[in-house]
Structure formats: C-alpha cells, structure tokens
C-alpha cells in the first residue's frame, strides 16, 4: 500500500500519500495544563513538516495553538466549521503564521496539493472548546484519499452509521484510549475500537490516542488504562476482525501497510 504512517504519540500522526504529508492533531509539548507526557520523546522538528494539517476537534489536546505555531507559512490548516469563531487565538495565529485555513463540516471535501482529497466525516464526540464553549463546532474524522484511503477517526465513540459515513478504507487510525483513568461517552476504548474495526473492515489499522499523556499526580490511579490499550486492542482485533493487520507502533515509529485491496 503506497501510504506511510508515523505515530508521534497521542492523536498526532503523519500520513504520507502520493508525496503529500498530512499531519493530524499536532501536540508537540511535554506538558499541557494538568497532563504530562509520560512516554515517548517529544516529536522532532521535522514532525511539523506537512502540506496540510487535519484538526479533528477543538479540545486543547487536539487543537493546540503553540504546536500549530510551528507550522511553516503556507501550510493548509483544515479545521471543523466554526473553529475560527470559537477559538479567537486561532484567528490571530493564522494571521501571524501565514496559514491557509479551510473550515469543514461532515461531507465536505478539499483537495491538498492537487493530489490527495480529504473528506470530513462525523465523529461522536463533544466538539466544543472546553472547559466552557458556548459556540458549537462539530467533531470530525477525516478520510484521506490518495493512492490509498486512510481514515483518521480523531476522537470518537462508536456509532451505528460509522461504516456507512466513512465508506471503504484501506487503513484506519483509531483511538483506543485516552489521557485519564476513565473514558466517558464519546470515546473508543480497546473493545469498542475493535468493534469499529470489524465494522469498517480496512486492510490495516494503527491504534492511537493512548499511552502518551497522563494527569500529573495520578500515576497510581488505574495505570492499566495508560499502559494496556494498545496491546488489548491488538488482542481484541484479532478476535473480532481477524483479516485486518494491526500495526502497534512505538512513539516515532512508522509503517507502510500492506498492499491496498
């Protein structure tokens, strides 16, 4: 399959397809508010190199302004509709950094560098800028359509129409955990992510959104929720979706999944 995936930690990945690099939900800091990076070195400067950046929703660990400030001028920044109104700092950053912003809602499509199409798909998640976000903005997933079709789920729960909304894909980047000891509504844990994988039926999958950040002072609270989701997802996926090849990457590791179907 002519696509390469690099996992930098949390929900941050580089998808390289047709010579185009797309970066997802960049988070390049050791600490964010009450969260501390517990595993994996910080991504190197080259991780910020991309033709386009896909932001799934407005939570600060997914739309992180200091990390977006590392992007090169002219980078295409794809965000949920209403993001610029909901996050005033985003407007200032876009102007000062020279980014090209496209706001998208589910079903919208945009072409990146003339070679790769990006389609926004729904996600079951609170898309507001927290802790208080009066302006609503949808949480999104994205399907990157180049030589392969890659689904970046962002942050989402399992919903009945997921496979229909996403459509056929070759690779699925699925969240399998979180950053705290409990996962609430609108998230996938390892078991629900395996169910999603069975419904989507890609050729390959990469688990993300686990094993990177953890609240300061909570190291002893349900630590298996930090360490276990990746391994547990591999185990459950083998049972529910045995035809899917799961690549459990370490931080900074990359993979070229097998031939597209």
């Amino acid at each position: 399959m002519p696509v390469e995936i690099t996992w930098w930690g949390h929900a941050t990945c580089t998808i390289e397809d047709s010579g185009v690099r797309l970066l997802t939900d960049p988070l390049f800091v050791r600490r964010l508010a009450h969260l501390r990076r517990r595993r994996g070195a910080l991504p190197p400067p080259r991780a910020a190199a991309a033709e386009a950046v896909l932001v799934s929703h407005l939570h600060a660990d997914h739309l992180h302004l200091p990390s977006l400030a590392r992007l090169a001028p002219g980078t295409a920044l794809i965000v949920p509709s209403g993001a610029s109104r909901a996050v005033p700092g985003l407007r200032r950053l876009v102007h000062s950094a020279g980014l090209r912003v496209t706001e998208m809602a589910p079903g919208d499509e945009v072409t990146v560098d003339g070679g790769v199409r990006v389609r926004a798909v729904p996600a079951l998640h609170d898309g507001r800028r927290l802790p208080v976000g009066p302006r609503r903005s949808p949480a999104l997933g994205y399907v990157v359509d180049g030589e392969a079709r890659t689904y970046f789920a962002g942050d989402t729960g399992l919903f009945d129409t997921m496979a229909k909304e996403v459509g056929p894909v070759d690779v699925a980047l699925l969240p399998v955990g979180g950053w705290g000891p409990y996962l609430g509504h609108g998230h996938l844990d390892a078991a629900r992510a395996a169910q999603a994988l069975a419904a989507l039926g890609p050729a390959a999958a990469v688990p993300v959104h686990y094993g990177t950040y953890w609240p300061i002072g909570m190291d002893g609270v349900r630590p298996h929720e930090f360490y276990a989701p990746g391994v547990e997802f591999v185990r459950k996926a083998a049972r529910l979706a045995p035809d899917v090849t799961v690549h459990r990457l370490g931080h900074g590791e990359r993979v070229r999944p097998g031939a597209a179907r």
Side-chain angles (χ1 to χ4, degrees):
M1 184 182 303
V3 63
E4 184 172 86
I5 307 297
T6 305
W7 183 50
W8 300 110
H10 201 52
T12 306
C13 302
T14 295
I15 304 167
E16 187 164 356
D17 190 325
S18 307
V20 178
R21 290 163 300 182
L22 301 102
L23 179 64
T24 67
D25 289 352
L27 187 58
F28 297 147
V29 292
R30 191 169 302 281
R31 179 174 175 176
L32 171 63
H34 64 298
L35 303 179
R36 180 182 62 182
R37 191 175 180 112
R38 291 269 327 273
R39 182 176 282 182
L42 286 176
R46 60 184 170 83
E51 281 68 50
V53 172
L54 310 179
V55 173
S56 63
H57 62 288
L58 306 190
H59 293 175
D61 58 323
H62 293 260
L63 194 165
H64 185 248
L65 296 177
S67 294
L68 294 177
R70 301 187 186 187
L71 302 175
T75 302
L77 180 60
I78 299 172
V79 298
S81 59
S84 297
R85 288 184 303 154
V87 187
L90 179 61
R91 297 196 299 269
R92 295 191 292 270
L93 172 65
V94 165
H95 178 73
S96 63
L99 306 178
R100 298 181 289 116
V101 176
T102 299
E103 296 195 359
M104 299 182 72
D108 291 346
E109 292 190 4
V110 65
T111 300
V112 177
D113 277 14
V116 171
R117 288 189 299 118
V118 175
R119 174 168 56 91
V121 299
L124 180 62
H125 196 68
D126 185 345
R128 295 174 298 169
R129 185 72 162 183
L130 298 179
V132 178
R135 295 187 183 274
R136 291 199 171 272
S137 189
L140 301 176
Y142 296 97
V143 176
V144 177
D145 193 346
E147 294 184 63
R149 292 181 302 274
T150 302
Y151 170 45
F152 169 62
D155 217 351
T156 186
L158 186 64
F159 56 97
D160 291 341
T161 61
M162 177 182 280
K164 179 180 177 182
E165 298 283 1
V166 172
V169 291
D170 301 302
V171 184
L173 311 182
L174 295 178
V176 302
W179 51 253
Y182 301 98
L183 286 174
H185 180 69
H187 295 84
L188 293 179
D189 59 11
R192 293 192 292 270
Q195 294 175 45
L197 192 65
L200 293 165
V206 176
V208 302
H209 203 271
Y210 78 100
T212 308
Y213 291 92
W214 202 245
I216 294 171
M218 296 188 71
D219 292 15
V221 179
R222 296 175 65 86
H224 65 282
E225 295 288 354
F226 178 82
Y227 291 105
V231 173
E232 188 177 356
F233 174 69
V234 171
R235 181 173 59 84
K236 292 182 180 297
R239 181 170 58 86
L240 296 180
D243 294 333
V244 181
T245 301
V246 177
H247 301 276
R248 185 171 66 89
L249 302 179
H251 293 83
E253 288 188 349
R254 63 184 64 191
V255 65
R256 292 185 176 180
R261 294 174 296 174

